Amino acid sequence: MAGSIQKVGNKYRITMETGKDFSGKRKRTYTTAISEAEAKKILAEFEYNQQRGMLVESSQMIFSEFLDHWMDNYVQYNCEETTVYGYKNILKHMKDHIGQVELQKLQSGHLQEYYKYLMETKKLSPNTVHKHHACAKKSLSYALKQQLVYRNVADGVSLPRRKRFEGQSYTKEQLRELLQLVKGTRLELPIFLAGYLGLRRGEIVGLKWKYVDLDQRVIHIQEVRTSAGKNVIVKAPKTEKSRRTLYIEDELLELLQACKEKQSEFKKVFGEGYHNTGYVYVHENGKPYRVNTVTEQFKDFLEKNSLRRIRFHELRHTFTSILYAEGVDLKAISEALGHSDIGTTNRIYTHVFDKTHKNTISAMSQALRTP
């Protein structure tokens, strides 16, 4: 027998025999579980790992120390900078609340209580709790591979149901009004790019002139700009499908031509003081705008002009909903958006699509009509 289970009060103590030391004395490790079923599972997993020669050495490492180890030895070398930044923010809360628990004594109950704390005390949304859980689960998966723990306790947690976010969108009349009002302002270019092409914010602020062919009337999406705290990150789009080429319609072509002419004029005015960064959306001196600037200015512009408030990203929703209403094929919309597959488009934008399947049913009705 590799171990035993003993009930102690309302909990169950698991004793695991890990062999003998040099003097012949038995080596044991202990942990607790909140139910007999969980205790049996822990012991069974320990025995299985013991049979495979995957014994875990006893360690006094606390969870906080392990998370630092995971960040330093795995995350820093395998994740993008934006992911690293997001993990750091999550781990700060995690270490403050359950960081002092010994890694090998960490139980599903600790994580369960932590998620409850996030929702009830910190007032975080279920979706944010899912992000914390994903981080915890990934870190403990690493611990399991490194043979620091017997199992991934994150697998035993019950998570709150996600709240499905439904983005808003403008009608074509509302978008037309916005495009008219924004003309001549510094928001004109980003709003036109979002409204006419459905570009993401990072694609707009990351667009360079070398990817804009005014003669062939096409824009190549090859780079994005994003931020992780104060750091600005320039990188390739997330997926291969996000690297796409889009046609430039007349209205947008005229705007881009005018924008390029203005930049040429400012280069002469500023001379050596001009920052020739190559970006399309820039200040008068050529410096690109901060990533968050367009979001902040868009919110202010809507309030100033008494327009219905939507997020800047929801101009992308608007692009999608208007095209769908105009009868454009969903696959074509998905490709224009740069989604990896049509399922992604359907999942994200299902709220803007025809839930009554009017076109489909009407087609059947039309087919059955008597000639």
Side-chain angles (χ1 to χ4, degrees):
M1 183 68 175
S4 61
I5 298 173
Q6 180 183 7
K7 187 173 183 180
V8 181
N10 294 324
K11 295 185 178 181
Y12 292 81
R13 186 188 194 206
I14 305 103
T15 303
M16 291 167 280
E17 304 279 353
T18 59
K20 295 181 180 180
D21 60 21
F22 292 110
S23 65
K25 185 179 179 180
R26 287 182 178 181
K27 294 194 297 181
R28 297 186 177 109
T29 60
Y30 305 92
T31 188
T32 58
I34 59 176
S35 69
E36 185 177 11
E38 184 181 11
K40 288 180 178 179
K41 183 178 180 181
I42 292 172
L43 185 57
E45 288 175 346
F46 167 75
E47 291 173 344
Y48 177 64
N49 287 331
Q50 187 180 54
Q51 291 169 5
R52 290 189 300 165
M54 295 179 62
L55 289 177
V56 175
E57 290 295 326
S58 179
S59 170
Q60 300 298 311
M61 179 187 291
I62 61 175
F63 190 41
S64 179
E65 293 172 336
F66 162 71
L67 291 174
D68 289 336
H69 170 80
W70 176 60
M71 285 291 296
D72 293 340
N73 293 275
Y74 177 83
V75 176
Q76 295 286 356
Y77 300 103
N78 293 278
C79 299
E80 292 189 356
E81 191 173 345
T82 49
T83 303
V84 174
Y85 177 76
Y87 279 167
K88 283 181 178 178
N89 288 334
I90 289 174
L91 295 187
K92 182 179 183 301
H93 295 286
M94 202 175 291
K95 289 192 288 187
D96 286 346
H97 197 73
I98 53 175
Q100 295 305 307
V101 179
E102 285 186 25
L103 175 64
Q104 292 182 350
K105 292 183 179 180
L106 185 71
Q107 298 297 317
S108 302
H110 291 112
L111 291 176
Q112 195 77 65
E113 190 276 330
Y114 171 61
Y115 300 154
K116 180 181 178 183
Y117 159 79
L118 291 179
M119 293 189 68
E120 295 185 357
T121 303
K122 304 298 290 185
K123 305 300 180 183
L124 300 184
S125 69
N127 292 9
T128 303
V129 171
H130 274 260
K131 291 181 181 179
H132 282 245
H133 174 69
C135 182
K137 186 172 182 178
K138 191 166 186 177
S139 69
L140 291 169
S141 176
Y142 173 81
L144 186 63
K145 289 177 182 178
Q146 296 295 312
Q147 299 182 24
L148 298 173
V149 294
Y150 299 104
R151 64 178 185 134
N152 190 332
V153 297
D155 290 332
V157 176
S158 297
L159 291 169
R161 181 177 296 181
R162 291 178 183 269
K163 289 185 178 180
R164 191 172 176 280
F165 175 78
E166 292 191 358
Q168 301 183 69
S169 61
Y170 274 173
T171 63
K172 61 182 178 181
E173 290 77 19
Q174 290 171 325
L175 179 59
R176 192 180 293 123
E177 179 185 10
L178 171 63
L179 293 173
Q180 186 62 40
L181 288 171
V182 82
K183 284 184 177 179
T185 72
R186 55 186 170 182
L187 277 176
E188 182 178 12
L189 181 62
I191 288 179
F192 266 70
L193 287 171
Y196 272 92
L197 300 180
L199 298 190
R200 302 174 176 92
R201 182 184 69 174
E203 294 169 343
I204 293 171
V205 298
L207 183 63
K208 292 182 176 178
W209 285 114
K210 65 180 180 180
Y211 299 126
V212 180
D213 190 333
L214 296 177
D215 294 327
Q216 296 298 318
R217 300 179 64 148
V218 291
I219 287 178
H220 305 283
I221 304 302
Q222 295 292 329
E223 286 183 7
V224 297
R225 277 177 74 234
T226 185
S227 60
K230 295 181 179 179
N231 295 330
V232 176
I233 301 162
V234 178
K235 61 180 183 178
K238 193 170 185 179
T239 66
E240 188 60 38
K241 289 290 182 68
S242 292
R243 300 179 182 91
R244 60 202 189 279
T245 300
L246 299 168
Y247 180 71
I248 303 173
E249 264 291 353
D250 291 346
E251 297 86 351
L252 188 54
L253 179 65
E254 292 176 7
L255 177 58
L256 286 167
Q257 288 172 333
C259 180
K260 195 164 191 178
E261 290 174 6
K262 281 185 179 179
Q263 285 193 18
S264 296
E265 293 173 4
F266 283 126
K267 284 180 183 178
K268 295 176 182 178
V269 173
F270 282 88
E272 294 182 357
Y274 188 84
H275 298 268
N276 198 12
T277 59
Y279 284 102
V280 175
Y281 182 51
V282 294
H283 291 277
E284 293 178 352
N285 65 358
K287 281 188 175 181
Y289 283 95
R290 289 187 305 110
V291 174
N292 292 329
T293 294
V294 65
T295 305
E296 298 161 356
Q297 291 182 352
F298 182 66
K299 177 184 175 183
D300 293 340
F301 182 84
L302 295 185
E303 292 179 357
K304 181 180 178 181
N305 290 275
S306 301
L307 296 174
R308 182 164 66 87
R309 182 176 174 180
I310 63 172
R311 299 179 304 150
F312 183 81
H313 186 76
E314 287 168 335
L315 289 174
R316 189 168 157 87
H317 297 332
T318 300
F319 170 85
T320 304
S321 61
I322 291 176
L323 286 182
Y324 185 79
E326 293 295 313
V328 178
D329 178 71
L330 185 57
K331 184 175 185 297
I333 297 175
S334 178
E335 290 173 349
L337 290 169
H339 285 161
S340 56
D341 56 62
I342 194 172
T344 302
T345 311
N346 196 42
R347 184 179 70 254
I348 296 174
Y349 296 105
T350 184
H351 62 283
V352 304
F353 299 148
D354 182 10
K355 295 180 180 179
T356 65
H357 308 289
K358 179 181 177 182
N359 293 338
T360 304
I361 304 304
S362 295
M364 187 63 183
S365 177
Q366 184 68 33
L368 296 176
R369 284 178 185 168
T370 305

